[in-house]
Amino acid sequence: MPKLNNTQKTIRNSAVSVIAQICTVLLQYINRRVFVCFLDIEYLGYHSLFGSVFSLLSIAELGISSIFGFQLYKEIVNDNKDEIGKLMYIYKWMYRIVALTVLLLGVICYFFLPFFVKDASVDWDYLHIVYWLQLASVVFGYFLNYKRTLFIASQQEYKCVQVDLTVSAVIQVVQLVTLYLWRNYIIYLCVQLSTSVISNIVISIKYNKSFPGLNKKYDVSMEYIKSRNMFADLRDVLIHRISYAIYGGVDNVVISAVCGVRMVALYGNYFVIQKGVMQILFYKLLDPVQATIGNIVYSDRSKEDLWAQFRMFDVFSFFFATYIGIGFYVFFQPFIQVWMGKEYLLSETFVALLSITLYFWAVWEIVYKYRCVFGDYKQDRWMMVLSAVLNVAVSIPGAKMWGISGVQLGTLIAFFPIAYGRIRFVIKNYFNQSIKRFVMRHLGLFVIVVLEAVICKYLCDRFEVSVLGFAERTLVILAFPTLINCVLFSQNRDYRRLLNYMHTILNRYVLRIKEK
């Protein structure tokens, strides 16, 4: 069989990941809907809340995966097996230290649970069991999860995805059965938490078979670690991790403390939809691109060639983000209504703010992909600190004044320092291009997307909340913004390059199918 090039590897990884995630998300939706038929949705609120607490504890990970990820790209391109082995050996021992640190922090946080949980309606002994179960799952994950990194960096992520899909599908079916038979949340949770444990064990076995030469013990000195500048990287990434843990983990904590844990559960419904769709159309589709970018950036291609490629990806990101933002804005409420019921709906203001946040995440995701392959986390660390401070400063008073919409407003405002730091790093520092021109162009495009969203919402609100209504909404979202955006970019050279690129990829894929 002929060797796959970077493009073909990316297609394969993306295709497998997307198909797997679609199946997983469908099972998750069924699971959550059946759950509220047998148990109070407030239990899901506690699960989300404790998940946010452990997200804050993830600062102990220090961003080690990011550091080793970008260091692996160069060694993989050069096929330097000895260096890859040394890096993975260090990685393994660092993650074992992280696991013990998270366990210690988790024990300390246990004594502060009354500050996180407002007006608990279940027995505290019950909540304590839930907390310890989730903590045990998180800690155990650190012992084996590191092995995924090499599969991802070497563009073999599909192997991990296949395992995750199989295990997740089986576990979720078992969850539904246990829920029906015993209607006990502790049993349900134990089954759920076993998913990552089982997946990591299977992937660990695959790792040992796929990379047998890396299982030996390597002689790694402190001088070697210093020569790779790991301590400086750890210091800078630690600032990133602390800041992002606060930025990403504070929402559920604030909602629980100010609005109550039931509101956390209602927010969790929207988050499950957001996470599921974004995993399919966002992370699983685009994550393999990062490994491709890493292999390209560390090759001998010229900066001009790379800038042209980036501009092409940027056009793709705009089209992609348009569907993401408008799609969520139009579909959130009717989907929640059909899936869970009208009593689980949150305000239209919250939906609009969440959709805008997701649009900006999507449109600048390609910037983040480029940013990740370079390392050098010193460049934008203070922007991350500013984002964490802003989220806390806006979300707490915002929750008191406007409820959950105020919390989402804080999340949206706090994202812009993160985005600016990444844009400055990639656009100015690496490509030596104008930040102002790049940002102003995207703000102009955002105004167009807002107009498209308002029109699409007006048209789609006239449709019934039914299967036919969902089909009609889908047609509007796919047709109207596509028509406007294609006309808008018709004379753009990067847009034409994107069309040629996609045409080339399609031809390669068709030829490969015919070869088989």
Side-chain angles (χ1 to χ4, degrees):
M1 184 181 293
K3 185 178 181 180
L4 299 181
N5 60 32
N6 284 332
T7 299
Q8 291 168 329
K9 289 178 181 177
T10 302
I11 293 173
R12 179 183 62 185
N13 289 334
S14 295
V16 173
S17 297
V18 168
I19 294 171
Q21 197 61 38
I22 289 173
C23 298
T24 302
V25 167
L26 289 175
L27 284 170
Q28 287 175 346
Y29 289 165
I30 294 171
N31 213 313
R32 196 173 180 96
R33 184 66 187 92
V34 173
F35 184 96
V36 297
C37 293
F38 295 107
L39 295 171
D40 195 315
I41 193 174
E42 190 168 319
Y43 288 113
L44 295 177
Y46 295 122
H47 183 76
S48 298
L49 174 61
F50 294 155
S52 295
V53 172
F54 298 133
S55 175
L56 291 172
L57 295 184
S58 69
I59 60 174
E61 194 261 353
L62 303 176
I64 293 172
S65 58
S66 300
I67 294 172
F68 281 87
F70 79 78
Q71 295 218 20
L72 279 169
Y73 289 134
K74 184 176 181 179
E75 304 306 336
I76 290 172
V77 169
N78 297 328
D79 195 28
N80 194 334
K81 292 183 173 59
D82 189 59
E83 289 297 305
I84 294 171
K86 288 181 179 179
L87 287 171
M88 292 303 295
Y89 185 74
I90 300 170
Y91 195 13
K92 174 181 70 175
W93 281 101
M94 283 190 169
Y95 255 45
R96 290 180 178 180
I97 295 172
V98 167
L100 296 176
T101 304
V102 170
L103 177 60
L104 177 61
L105 293 174
V107 172
I108 294 172
C109 284
Y110 166 76
F111 297 101
F112 293 92
L113 286 184
F115 296 98
F116 301 140
V117 180
K118 179 183 178 182
D119 302 327
S121 61
V122 300
D123 187 78
W124 273 100
D125 290 337
Y126 199 82
L127 290 182
H128 293 163
I129 294 174
V130 172
Y131 181 86
W132 288 117
L133 285 172
Q134 288 188 241
L135 177 60
S137 176
V138 170
V139 170
F140 189 82
Y142 282 114
F143 283 96
L144 294 175
N145 196 49
Y146 75 94
K147 293 187 176 181
R148 292 172 179 262
T149 302
L150 188 54
F151 282 113
I152 295 171
S154 60
Q155 295 187 285
Q156 300 181 59
E157 186 182 11
Y158 69 95
K159 294 182 179 180
C160 299
V161 172
Q162 290 169 345
V163 173
D164 289 336
L165 170 62
T166 303
V167 174
S168 180
V170 173
I171 291 297
Q172 292 200 56
V173 171
V174 173
Q175 273 187 289
L176 291 172
V177 172
T178 58
L179 193 61
Y180 175 78
L181 292 176
W182 293 292
R183 306 185 185 187
N184 184 291
Y185 180 63
I186 297 298
I187 297 176
Y188 176 90
L189 182 62
C190 287
V191 175
Q192 178 179 331
L193 295 178
S194 68
T195 305
S196 61
V197 175
I198 297 173
S199 293
N200 284 333
I201 290 174
V202 176
I203 290 171
S204 177
I205 295 172
K206 280 184 171 288
Y207 174 91
N208 295 337
K209 292 181 178 179
S210 300
F211 310 104
L214 302 182
N215 294 324
K216 64 181 181 180
K217 181 179 179 180
Y218 287 84
D219 183 17
V220 178
S221 65
M222 187 62 66
E223 286 71 23
Y224 175 82
I225 297 175
K226 290 180 179 179
S227 69
R228 282 189 166 271
N229 205 34
M230 288 185 183
F231 291 119
D233 286 336
L234 282 172
R235 177 199 62 207
D236 295 329
V237 174
L238 177 59
I239 296 175
H240 274 254
R241 295 293 298 182
I242 293 174
S243 301
Y244 194 77
I246 295 172
Y247 170 80
V250 74
D251 286 4
N252 277 331
V253 177
V254 172
I255 294 170
S256 175
V258 178
C259 307
V261 74
R262 185 172 182 82
M263 192 61 69
V264 176
L266 295 183
Y267 171 72
N269 291 333
Y270 289 81
F271 179 76
V272 166
I273 297 174
Q274 165 200 330
K275 182 180 178 182
V277 175
M278 296 293 270
Q279 285 282 0
I280 295 170
L281 298 179
F282 197 66
Y283 303 113
K284 294 302 180 184
L285 184 64
L286 296 182
D287 273 359
V289 175
Q290 183 170 319
T292 301
I293 293 171
N295 281 273
I296 292 173
V297 165
Y298 290 106
S299 66
D300 56 358
R301 293 177 61 174
S302 68
K303 189 68 69 73
E304 292 74 18
D305 188 19
L306 292 176
W307 174 240
Q309 184 186 54
F310 174 84
R311 292 201 312 266
M312 179 189 69
F313 281 140
D314 190 50
V315 173
F316 170 80
S317 295
F318 169 69
F319 275 79
F320 183 69
T322 300
Y323 300 127
I324 290 289
I326 297 177
F328 277 119
Y329 184 53
V330 169
F331 271 105
F332 257 138
Q333 299 294 58
F335 188 87
I336 290 286
Q337 184 176 334
V338 170
W339 177 37
M340 304 296 287
K342 285 186 177 181
E343 64 272 24
Y344 294 96
L345 294 176
L346 294 173
S347 71
E348 291 288 345
T349 302
F350 165 77
V351 171
L353 290 170
L354 179 55
S355 300
I356 293 172
T357 305
L358 295 174
Y359 167 81
F360 280 111
W361 270 107
V363 80
W364 285 328
E365 176 67 9
I366 196 64
V367 177
Y368 177 61
K369 297 301 183 191
Y370 273 83
R371 190 262 168 275
C372 284
V373 303
F374 297 123
D376 195 8
Y377 288 91
K378 182 179 180 179
Q379 295 281 346
D380 54 344
R381 61 184 180 182
W382 298 119
M383 289 295 102
M384 296 297 298
V385 173
L386 178 58
S387 72
V389 173
L390 272 177
N391 200 16
V392 174
V394 177
S395 292
I396 293 176
K400 294 178 180 178
M401 291 187 287
W402 304 301
I404 197 169
S405 296
V407 177
Q408 188 58 45
L409 177 64
T411 302
L412 173 59
I413 292 174
F415 171 69
F416 291 109
I418 297 177
Y420 177 77
R422 294 169 178 174
I423 291 169
R424 183 181 62 185
F425 184 104
V426 175
I427 304 302
K428 180 181 179 181
N429 296 359
Y430 180 72
F431 286 120
N432 298 317
Q433 301 294 325
S434 170
I435 297 178
K436 181 178 179 181
R437 186 182 301 118
F438 181 82
V439 172
M440 293 305 296
R441 174 174 172 271
H442 272 284
L443 291 179
L445 292 173
F446 173 66
V447 173
I448 294 172
V449 173
V450 169
L451 294 175
E452 292 173 352
V454 171
I455 296 173
C456 286
K457 188 71 162 59
Y458 172 77
L459 295 174
C460 292
D461 281 347
R462 305 167 71 88
F463 302 138
E464 294 182 356
V465 180
S466 62
V467 175
L468 177 61
F470 281 118
E472 292 170 331
R473 286 176 173 84
T474 302
L475 288 175
V476 169
I477 293 171
L478 291 178
F480 183 73
T482 300
L483 177 62
I484 299 300
N485 293 340
C486 286
V487 172
L488 182 68
F489 279 89
S490 60
Q491 302 303 313
N492 184 281
R493 62 177 180 175
D494 301 314
Y495 171 70
R496 294 197 296 269
R497 187 183 294 114
L498 176 63
L499 293 181
N500 291 333
Y501 181 73
M502 295 177 69
H503 183 261
T504 301
I505 289 176
L506 182 61
N507 285 341
R508 288 178 179 176
Y509 187 69
V510 171
L511 286 174
R512 183 164 180 80
I513 293 177
K514 289 181 178 179
E515 289 175 0
K516 292 182 178 182

